[in-house]
Coordinates of all heavy atoms in Angstrom, one line a residue:
I202 N 58.1 54.3 146.0 CA 58.9 55.5 146.1 C 59.5 55.8 144.8 O 59.7 55.0 143.9 CB 60.0 55.3 147.2 CG1 60.9 54.2 146.9 CG2 59.4 55.2 148.6 CD1 62.1 54.1 147.8
K203 N 59.8 57.1 144.6 CA 60.3 57.6 143.3 C 61.4 58.7 143.7 O 61.3 59.4 144.6 CB 59.3 58.3 142.5 CG 58.1 57.4 142.1 CD 57.0 58.1 141.4 CE 55.9 57.2 141.1 NZ 54.8 57.9 140.4
W204 N 62.5 58.7 142.9 CA 63.5 59.7 143.0 C 63.8 60.3 141.7 O 63.5 59.8 140.6 CB 64.7 59.1 143.7 CG 65.3 57.9 143.0 CD1 66.2 57.9 142.0 CD2 65.1 56.6 143.4 NE1 66.6 56.6 141.7 CE2 65.9 55.8 142.5 CE3 64.3 55.9 144.4 CZ2 65.9 54.4 142.6 CZ3 64.4 54.6 144.4 CH2 65.2 53.8 143.6
S205 N 64.3 61.6 141.8 CA 64.6 62.3 140.5 C 65.8 63.2 140.7 O 66.2 63.5 141.9 CB 63.4 63.2 140.2 OG 63.0 64.1 141.2
D206 N 66.3 63.6 139.6 CA 67.5 64.6 139.6 C 68.7 64.0 140.3 O 69.4 64.7 141.1 CB 67.1 65.9 140.1 CG 65.9 66.5 139.3 OD1 66.1 66.5 138.1 OD2 64.9 67.0 139.9
A207 N 69.0 62.8 140.0 CA 70.3 62.2 140.6 C 71.5 63.0 140.1 O 71.5 63.5 138.9 CB 70.4 60.7 140.2
P208 N 72.5 63.0 140.9 CA 73.7 63.8 140.4 C 74.4 63.1 139.3 O 74.4 61.9 139.1 CB 74.6 63.8 141.7 CG 74.1 62.7 142.5 CD 72.7 62.5 142.2
A209 N 75.2 63.9 138.5 CA 76.0 63.3 137.4 C 77.0 62.3 138.0 O 77.5 62.5 139.2 CB 76.7 64.4 136.7
G210 N 77.3 61.3 137.3 CA 78.2 60.3 137.8 C 77.6 59.1 138.6 O 78.3 58.2 139.0
T211 N 76.3 59.2 138.8 CA 75.6 58.1 139.6 C 75.7 56.8 138.8 O 75.3 56.7 137.6 CB 74.1 58.5 139.8 OG1 74.0 59.7 140.6 CG2 73.4 57.4 140.5
K212 N 76.2 55.8 139.5 CA 76.3 54.5 138.8 C 75.4 53.4 139.4 O 75.1 52.4 138.8 CB 77.8 54.0 139.0 CG 78.7 54.8 138.2 CD 80.1 54.3 138.2 CE 81.1 55.2 137.4 NZ 82.4 54.7 137.6
S213 N 74.8 53.7 140.6 CA 73.8 52.9 141.2 C 73.1 53.6 142.3 O 73.5 54.7 142.7 CB 74.4 51.6 141.7 OG 75.2 51.8 142.9
F214 N 72.0 53.0 142.8 CA 71.3 53.5 144.0 C 71.2 52.5 145.1 O 71.3 51.3 144.8 CB 69.9 53.9 143.5 CG 69.8 55.0 142.5 CD1 69.6 54.8 141.2 CD2 70.0 56.4 142.9 CE1 69.6 55.8 140.2 CE2 70.0 57.4 142.0 CZ 69.8 57.1 140.6
A215 N 70.9 53.0 146.3 CA 70.5 52.1 147.4 C 69.4 52.9 148.1 O 69.3 54.1 148.1 CB 71.7 51.9 148.3
V216 N 68.5 52.1 148.8 CA 67.4 52.6 149.6 C 67.5 52.0 150.9 O 67.7 50.8 151.1 CB 66.1 52.3 148.9 CG1 64.9 52.7 149.8 CG2 65.9 53.1 147.6
T217 N 67.3 52.9 151.9 CA 67.2 52.4 153.3 C 66.0 53.0 154.0 O 65.6 54.1 153.6 CB 68.5 52.7 154.1 OG1 68.6 54.1 154.3 CG2 69.7 52.0 153.5
V218 N 65.5 52.3 155.0 CA 64.5 52.9 155.9 C 65.1 52.6 157.3 O 65.4 51.5 157.7 CB 63.1 52.2 155.8 CG1 62.1 52.8 156.8 CG2 62.6 52.4 154.4
Y219 N 65.2 53.7 158.1 CA 65.9 53.7 159.4 C 65.1 54.4 160.4 O 64.5 55.5 160.1 CB 67.3 54.3 159.2 CG 68.1 54.3 160.4 CD1 68.7 53.2 160.9 CD2 68.4 55.5 161.1 CE1 69.5 53.2 162.1 CE2 69.2 55.5 162.2 CZ 69.7 54.4 162.7 OH 70.5 54.4 163.8
D220 N 65.0 53.9 161.6 CA 64.4 54.5 162.8 C 65.4 54.8 163.8 O 65.9 54.0 164.5 CB 63.3 53.6 163.4 CG 62.7 54.1 164.7 OD1 63.0 55.2 165.1 OD2 62.0 53.3 165.3
R221 N 65.8 56.1 163.9 CA 66.9 56.5 164.8 C 66.3 56.6 166.2 O 67.1 56.8 167.2 CB 67.5 57.8 164.4 CG 66.7 59.1 164.4 CD 67.4 60.3 164.0 NE 68.0 60.2 162.7 CZ 69.3 60.1 162.4 NH1 70.2 60.0 163.4 NH2 69.8 60.0 161.2
D222 N 65.0 56.6 166.4 CA 64.4 56.7 167.7 C 64.2 55.4 168.4 O 63.7 55.3 169.6 CB 63.0 57.4 167.6 CG 63.1 58.8 167.1 OD1 64.1 59.5 167.6 OD2 62.3 59.2 166.3
A223 N 64.5 54.3 167.7 CA 64.4 52.9 168.3 C 65.2 52.8 169.6 O 66.3 53.3 169.7 CB 64.8 51.9 167.4
P224 N 64.6 52.3 170.7 CA 65.3 52.2 172.0 C 66.4 51.1 172.0 O 66.3 50.2 172.8 CB 64.2 52.0 173.0 CG 63.2 51.2 172.2 CD 63.3 51.7 170.8
T225 N 67.3 51.2 171.1 CA 68.4 50.1 171.0 C 69.8 50.6 171.3 O 70.7 49.9 171.4 CB 68.4 49.5 169.6 OG1 68.7 50.5 168.7 CG2 67.0 48.9 169.2
G226 N 69.9 52.0 171.2 CA 71.2 52.5 171.3 C 71.9 52.7 169.9 O 72.9 53.4 169.8
S227 N 71.3 52.0 168.9 CA 71.9 52.1 167.6 C 70.8 52.3 166.5 O 71.1 52.1 165.3 CB 72.8 50.9 167.3 OG 72.0 49.7 167.4
G228 N 69.6 52.6 166.9 CA 68.5 52.7 165.9 C 68.1 51.4 165.4 O 68.4 50.3 166.0
W229 N 67.3 51.4 164.3 CA 66.7 50.1 163.8 C 66.6 50.2 162.2 O 66.0 51.2 161.7 CB 65.3 49.9 164.3 CG 64.7 48.6 164.1 CD1 64.0 48.2 163.0 CD2 64.8 47.5 164.9 NE1 63.6 46.9 163.1 CE2 64.1 46.4 164.3 CE3 65.3 47.2 166.2 CZ2 63.9 45.2 164.9 CZ3 65.2 46.0 166.8 CH2 64.5 45.0 166.1
W230 N 67.2 49.3 161.6 CA 67.2 49.2 160.1 C 65.9 48.4 159.7 O 65.7 47.3 160.0 CB 68.4 48.5 159.5 CG 69.7 49.2 159.8 CD1 70.5 49.0 160.8 CD2 70.2 50.3 159.0 NE1 71.6 49.9 160.7 CE2 71.4 50.7 159.6 CE3 69.8 50.9 157.8 CZ2 72.2 51.7 159.1 CZ3 70.5 51.9 157.3 CH2 71.7 52.3 158.0
H231 N 65.0 49.1 159.0 CA 63.7 48.5 158.5 C 63.8 48.0 157.1 O 62.9 47.2 156.7 CB 62.6 49.6 158.7 CG 62.2 49.8 160.1 ND1 61.1 49.1 160.6 CD2 62.7 50.6 161.1 CE1 61.0 49.5 161.9 NE2 61.9 50.4 162.2
W232 N 64.7 48.5 156.3 CA 64.8 48.1 154.9 C 66.1 48.5 154.4 O 66.6 49.6 154.6 CB 63.7 48.7 154.1 CG 63.4 48.1 152.7 CD1 63.8 46.9 152.2 CD2 62.7 48.7 151.7 NE1 63.4 46.7 151.0 CE2 62.6 47.8 150.6 CE3 62.0 49.9 151.5 CZ2 62.0 48.1 149.4 CZ3 61.3 50.2 150.3 CH2 61.3 49.3 149.3
V233 N 66.8 47.6 153.7 CA 68.1 47.9 153.1 C 68.1 47.2 151.7 O 68.0 45.9 151.6 CB 69.2 47.3 153.9 CG1 70.6 47.6 153.3 CG2 69.1 47.9 155.4
I234 N 68.1 48.0 150.7 CA 68.2 47.4 149.3 C 69.2 48.2 148.5 O 69.2 49.4 148.5 CB 66.8 47.4 148.6 CG1 66.9 46.8 147.2 CG2 66.1 48.7 148.7 CD1 65.5 46.6 146.5
F235 N 70.1 47.5 147.8 CA 71.2 48.2 147.2 C 71.5 47.5 145.8 O 70.9 46.5 145.5 CB 72.5 48.2 148.1 CG 73.0 46.9 148.6 CD1 73.9 46.2 147.9 CD2 72.4 46.4 149.7 CE1 74.4 45.0 148.4 CE2 72.9 45.1 150.2 CZ 73.8 44.4 149.5
N236 N 72.5 48.0 145.1 CA 72.9 47.6 143.8 C 71.7 47.7 142.8 O 71.4 46.9 142.0 CB 73.4 46.1 143.7 CG 74.7 46.0 144.4 OD1 75.3 47.0 144.8 ND2 75.2 44.8 144.6
I237 N 71.0 48.9 143.0 CA 69.9 49.2 142.1 C 70.5 50.0 140.9 O 71.2 51.0 141.1 CB 68.9 50.1 142.8 CG1 68.3 49.4 144.1 CG2 67.7 50.6 141.9 CD1 67.5 50.3 145.0
S238 N 70.2 49.5 139.7 CA 70.8 50.1 138.5 C 70.6 51.6 138.4 O 69.5 52.1 138.8 CB 70.2 49.4 137.3 OG 70.7 50.0 136.1
A239 N 71.5 52.3 137.8 CA 71.4 53.8 137.7 C 70.3 54.2 136.8 O 69.9 55.3 136.8 CB 72.7 54.3 137.1
D240 N 69.7 53.3 136.0 CA 68.6 53.6 135.1 C 67.2 53.5 135.8 O 66.2 53.7 135.2 CB 68.7 52.9 133.8 CG 68.5 51.4 133.9 OD1 68.5 50.9 135.1 OD2 68.6 50.7 132.9
V241 N 67.2 53.1 137.0 CA 66.0 52.9 137.8 C 65.7 54.2 138.5 O 66.6 54.9 139.0 CB 66.1 51.7 138.8 CG1 64.9 51.7 139.7 CG2 66.3 50.4 138.0
S242 N 64.5 54.6 138.6 CA 64.1 55.9 139.3 C 63.0 55.7 140.3 O 62.4 56.7 140.7 CB 63.7 56.9 138.3 OG 62.5 56.5 137.6

């Protein structure tokens, strides 16, 4: 995955993958990664 044109003041990034249709009542978290440096795209 790639991202571009982050807003001014961005100090880090996080990425998630989420399924809101999962039959759990609260969805399903498939991927959670955070504390990604602001110089990563």
Side-chain angles (χ1 to χ4, degrees):
I202 59 173
K203 299 175 184 179
W204 52 88
S205 60
D206 300 312
T211 298
K212 294 184 180 174
S213 70
F214 296 101
V216 170
T217 64
V218 178
Y219 180 72
D220 172 9
R221 68 178 56 256
D222 297 317
T225 64
S227 61
W229 191 274
W230 295 95
H231 285 265
W232 194 16
V233 181
I234 179 171
F235 57 94
N236 293 354
I237 301 168
S238 173
D240 63 358
V241 173
S242 60

